[in-house]
Amino acid sequence: MRKLRTVVSKDLTKLASIHAASFKKNWGQDAFAKLLEQTSNAAWLIEEDDEIAAFIVVMSSGDDLEILTIATHPDHRRKGLAKQLLLGVDGKQALGLDGNWFLEVSEENLSAVQFYENLGFLKRGVRKNYYKLDDGRRVDALVYGIKLGHLVC
Ligand SMILES: CC(C)(COP(=O)(O)OP(=O)(O)OC[C@H]1O[C@@H](n2cnc3c(N)ncnc32)[C@H](O)[C@@H]1OP(=O)(O)O)[C@@H](O)C(=O)NCCC(=O)NCCS
């Protein structure tokens, strides 16, 4: 059974481990704690059979929402979890707001680009050489956006 709920402090170890399994530059538990101390930030997760399987951290700025990070545990990918999470948060957060979702994604993160484009996100710009990789290479960040409440199901 799946359950979407707000992240609480006892979840942070698991969030950090999913993040570590999902990104080369991972954030530790303390980084998540600091992020969530800020009142502009909020996080949700999905449990699958009582196990935390995916999460999202969002920053609000005026009427806009920025995706700071989103990840699904590698064992749970392509089961619709991240989509369900984003649609669920969109349903909760878009109420009363007239803004947009925004996010930055590496041009080399093809699965995430596909994920966002299939949800209806449109490319709004490029930040040249935004990410520095371990081998010293720099890659562009693509900026995507979509109006709140307009994600494609
Ligand atoms: C991107 C990510 C969050 C997607 O999570 P997920 O739970 O596997 O995604 P979903 O199952 O909800 O996918 C929904 C749709 O997105 C698209 N999609 C997701 N992953 C994809 C992939 N690897 N390749 C192509 N399309 C993909 C598909 O259209 C998919 O629907 P389908 O499976 O019916 O074809 C996950 O791959 C991940 O955690 N990646 C590492 C962290 C990351 O890059 N986060 C984004 C940073 S900006």
Side-chain angles (χ1 to χ4, degrees), residues 22-23 70-72 77-83 104-105 109 111-112 114-116 118:
S22 301
F23 295 96
I70 181 169
T72 298
R77 292 197 184 146
R78 299 305 292 266
K79 299 198 298 186
L81 285 169
K83 181 175 178 175
E104 285 151 359
V105 58
N109 191 347
S111 51
Q114 198 64 61
F115 169 71
Y116 293 123
N118 288 357

Side-chain angles (χ1 to χ4, degrees), residues 89-105:
V89 173
D90 186 57
K92 289 177 197 293
Q93 296 298 99
L95 287 175
L97 294 181
D98 190 30
N100 290 275
W101 283 105
F102 282 106
L103 64 96
E104 285 151 359
V105 58

